[in-house]
Amino acid sequence: LYKSDACVQTIVGHNGSVLSIKYMKTQKILISTSSERTLRMWCLSKGRTLFRYPWFITLQIIRDFTSASLEKQMDTSIWINSIDCTDGLDAVILAGDSEGSIIKFKVPSKSEAPIEYDNMYNLVHKNGIKALAAVKSDNFFFTSSYDQFIKGSDLTDGTQFFVMKNPNKKEYSSLVWDKKNRELYTADGAGFVGILNVYVDKPVFWEKTTKEAIHNLQLIEEEQLLVVQCDSGINIYEIKRGMKSKKQPAHKDVVLKVLALSLIHI
């Protein structure tokens, strides 16, 4: 955990690689998953409330729930790849496993109460879950998988209402929901960024933004900035709506200077 540039706590507990992490603001709970097949809940230590920074301790450890079939409960090749959650009242946690299934947990209103198993949507994808985006306001969630599909499902019963295959034959690496514009942002291993209106078939935006694979997206809605994480670092794009763009013809002589503006035009 960092405050500005200073590390204030290194959280230790998993015995394998940490695959996904989320923070629930209302409950003040940190959620993490690991390749050693556990999901851990971390809460704030009451004994450290007088100190300058919060301090997280283990609240709950969940094991052996990541397989859709009972025969594979001891299969150590199955684990949670990705997690996402809703916040506030009636919050839920969604956990996507390496088999392609989604496990849903209910989060009690008390911040220090353990979460409870709610439902399991078996084999939503043919391969492991790559990314998750839970949308509480519309009661649905989106998943992407190594099978190169994005799927949208009802948060209550798991009924699918949206399916899109990647035309680049790459897996979608990240999913982010834009609450204000009600659009889904995604990216893939070919360097493409997409903005999807899930109620129509055609993407609002689908362009190659980098030559590298994109690993993660983060949308800063207030400033309409899109943070794109690649192998070599992070690129930040400003999103401008209602503008048109076109390719300019090449110069016929030596180029003396180039000024680059990172904008995504929709």
Side-chain angles (χ1 to χ4, degrees):
L1 299 179
Y2 284 84
K3 178 70 174 182
S4 297
D5 295 331
C7 179
V8 297
Q9 182 186 1
T10 300
I11 302 176
V12 179
H14 286 293
N15 294 319
S17 299
V18 176
L19 303 176
S20 186
I21 187 168
K22 289 288 179 179
Y23 180 65
M24 304 184 73
K25 294 181 180 179
T26 302
Q27 287 79 7
K28 296 182 178 179
I29 289 176
L30 195 66
I31 315 162
S32 61
T33 65
S34 170
S35 58
E36 29 93 280
R37 300 183 73 226
T38 64
L39 183 149
R40 283 180 177 254
M41 311 289 292
W42 310 83
C43 66
L44 295 176
S45 172
K46 290 183 177 180
R48 295 294 294 263
T49 54
L50 297 179
F51 286 80
R52 186 175 180 182
Y53 303 111
W55 193 264
F56 286 92
I57 59 173
T58 301
L59 170 66
Q60 183 180 4
I61 303 174
I62 300 176
R63 297 183 175 92
D64 297 331
F65 56 85
T66 57
S67 176
S69 36
L70 294 176
E71 299 82 22
K72 296 183 180 180
Q73 283 292 311
M74 300 308 295
D75 186 348
T76 56
S77 66
I78 300 173
W79 54 72
I80 295 295
N81 277 334
S82 180
I83 52 177
D84 199 16
C85 55
T86 62
D87 214 342
L89 296 175
D90 302 319
V92 298
I93 297 172
L94 298 179
D97 71 19
S98 57
E99 195 179 44
S101 299
I102 304 295
I103 304 98
K104 179 181 174 184
F105 297 93
K106 293 187 293 185
V107 181
S109 56
K110 296 182 179 180
S111 60
E112 296 185 6
I115 63 173
E116 303 172 357
Y117 173 85
D118 182 39
N119 203 349
M120 186 169 190
Y121 309 127
N122 291 338
L123 303 179
V124 177
H125 289 270
K126 295 181 180 178
N127 299 103
I129 303 297
K130 178 75 172 179
L132 271 167
V135 184
K136 183 180 180 180
S137 58
D138 295 85
N139 198 48
F140 50 57
F141 65 93
F142 296 96
T143 55
S144 69
S145 166
Y146 293 97
D147 63 8
Q148 302 175 5
F149 279 91
I150 289 177
K151 295 185 179 182
S153 306
D154 185 273
L155 192 56
T156 303
D157 58 17
T159 303
Q160 289 184 13
F161 67 90
F162 176 81
V163 178
M164 178 178 172
K165 184 174 175 60
N166 193 325
N168 298 325
K169 297 182 180 181
K170 298 283 187 178
E171 68 271 10
Y172 294 100
S173 56
S174 185
L175 298 173
V176 179
W177 180 253
D178 183 347
K179 298 177 184 177
K180 180 180 178 180
N181 297 292
R182 296 169 59 82
E183 294 170 338
L184 183 68
Y185 284 66
T186 187
D188 70 10
F192 278 71
V193 170
I195 304 176
L196 313 178
N197 181 337
V198 298
Y199 304 102
V200 297
D201 294 333
K202 187 177 179 180
V204 177
F205 176 87
W206 182 254
E207 294 289 344
K208 188 177 182 68
T209 60
T210 175
K211 296 180 180 179
E212 301 175 305
I214 297 175
H215 301 298
N216 194 34
L217 296 177
Q218 182 179 355
L219 178 65
I220 305 175
E221 292 192 42
E222 298 80 7
E223 301 178 28
Q224 282 295 283
L225 297 176
L226 185 66
V227 182
V228 180
Q229 178 191 350
C230 307
D231 287 333
S232 60
I234 293 175
N235 299 322
I236 301 177
Y237 298 89
E238 182 181 5
I239 302 169
K240 295 291 186 181
R241 295 179 177 270
M243 300 178 65
K244 294 182 179 180
S245 61
K246 65 178 181 179
K247 294 183 178 180
Q248 296 293 336
H251 291 281
K252 296 180 179 180
D253 209 335
V254 177
V255 176
L256 300 178
K257 187 176 182 179
V258 175
L259 177 64
L261 297 175
S262 296
L263 302 177
I264 290 182
H265 299 308
I266 303 173

